[in-house]
Amino acid sequence: MATAILVDGAFFLRRFKHAFPDHDRSDPKSVAHGLGMLAYWHLVQRIGPTQVMAQVARNDLLAESRQFYRIFFYDCLPLTKRMHTPLGKKSVDFGKSPEARFRLSLHQEIRKLRKVALRLGRLNDSSRWRLSERATARLIDNPAAFSPADEDFEIDTKQKGVDMRLGLDVASLAFKRQVDQIVLVASDADFVPAAKLARREGIDVILDRMGDQRAAAELIEHVDGVRDCVMPAPVGMSI
């Protein structure tokens, strides 16, 4: 049997620099390479470095390994619509933002990877402006002196369909007996139902928090073990 790796894309990107300090978080190709490295690392934990090196010698690591099923990467398309700033009413085209361009390029790089399935949800149509945490703290600290500017606001968006897609994939993997181990790269309690379903079907569920010590306690409770993929920082580099 084989291992499937299910990755919460937003979480993966948030933890990427911590887990892969020698990779460039702003480069889509570097991030896609890090995703492959994460799968490689978990395969080493499962079958051992000797067998992995034998597969490397045959040039079939990940692509042809019977112990590796597939990476599932769950993400949303970026916000691309135009909006106006809340106070100055200045037009903002989010489709041209650095984050939108990065996300679209990353999705293209992930599509090129062997044995990777990209699962895309969508953003809630009711995106709106909200005060940033820093601005909110200023407002609470001194309401009388608070004078907001457009820079104090950030866009509030909600993902839709990501949890559902992950849950459906877990159900398919479990009921069809396609794998006997699932590595869940996430930290949110929203994924507890999927983890519980897989375990009820006899699948070994491993949680990879990428070193995030704030992962939901309920999620940790409903997995069979925690195995954090965190690569060592290059010599002389602090993170």
Side-chain angles (χ1 to χ4, degrees):
M1 295 292 282
T3 296
I5 299 178
L6 281 60
V7 182
D8 175 2
F11 171 74
F12 177 79
L13 291 173
R14 189 166 65 248
R15 297 294 301 171
F16 186 82
K17 194 59 185 176
H18 176 83
F20 299 94
D22 60 339
H23 283 59
D24 184 357
R25 166 62 175 79
S26 64
D27 181 3
K29 290 185 178 180
S30 179
V31 174
H33 181 265
L35 182 63
M37 288 295 297
L38 180 140
Y40 172 92
W41 186 86
H42 280 289
L43 188 58
V44 168
Q45 310 311 308
R46 171 149 198 185
I47 67 176
T50 301
Q51 288 194 50
V52 167
M53 291 309 298
Q55 291 182 21
V56 169
R58 296 194 302 268
N59 197 33
D60 65 357
L61 183 64
L62 296 188
E64 307 301 335
S65 173
R66 293 182 180 181
Q67 291 86 8
F68 174 70
Y69 181 72
R70 186 169 293 140
I71 300 172
F72 295 84
F73 190 87
Y74 303 87
D75 200 13
C76 272
L77 290 169
L79 183 67
T80 57
K81 68 179 183 179
R82 286 180 177 270
M83 295 181 66
H84 291 83
T85 56
L87 300 179
K89 304 304 178 184
K90 179 181 178 182
S91 177
V92 179
D93 184 356
F94 284 98
K96 295 181 179 179
S97 69
E99 179 60 23
R101 291 176 176 175
F102 166 80
R103 212 61 159 236
L104 293 172
S105 296
L106 175 61
H107 294 163
Q108 286 300 103
E109 292 299 326
I110 289 176
R111 288 186 178 99
K112 298 175 186 177
L113 297 176
R114 178 79 162 89
K115 298 184 81 168
V116 174
L118 178 62
R119 298 283 196 258
L120 292 177
R122 64 184 180 86
L123 295 179
N124 195 324
D125 293 333
S126 60
S127 300
R128 61 187 65 186
W129 295 100
R130 68 180 178 191
L131 277 176
S132 66
E133 289 186 10
R134 184 174 299 178
T136 301
R138 285 169 37 219
L139 173 61
I140 294 173
D141 184 58
N142 193 348
F146 182 72
S147 179
D150 280 334
E151 292 73 22
D152 293 319
F153 291 86
E154 61 188 10
I155 198 68
D156 182 16
T157 58
K158 302 293 184 183
Q159 291 186 352
K160 297 188 69 175
V162 172
D163 297 355
M164 178 191 68
R165 284 168 173 78
L166 187 145
L168 288 173
D169 284 333
V170 168
S172 178
L173 292 169
F175 296 148
K176 293 181 181 180
R177 303 295 177 185
Q178 294 170 317
V179 301
D180 62 350
Q181 183 181 82
I182 287 176
V183 175
L184 182 59
V185 184
S187 68
D188 200 305
D190 288 347
F191 299 111
V192 167
K196 292 173 70 174
L197 184 152
R199 293 180 78 201
R200 283 196 300 267
E201 294 302 314
I203 293 178
D204 180 39
V205 180
I206 302 298
L207 178 65
D208 182 350
R209 306 169 300 175
M210 298 177 72
D212 185 3
Q213 301 302 313
R214 298 167 298 177
E218 187 181 2
L219 182 59
I220 296 173
E221 177 187 353
H222 292 290
V223 298
D224 295 299
V226 176
R227 193 166 66 203
D228 291 344
C229 176
V230 178
M231 300 298 176
V235 176
M237 178 180 179
S238 59
I239 57 173

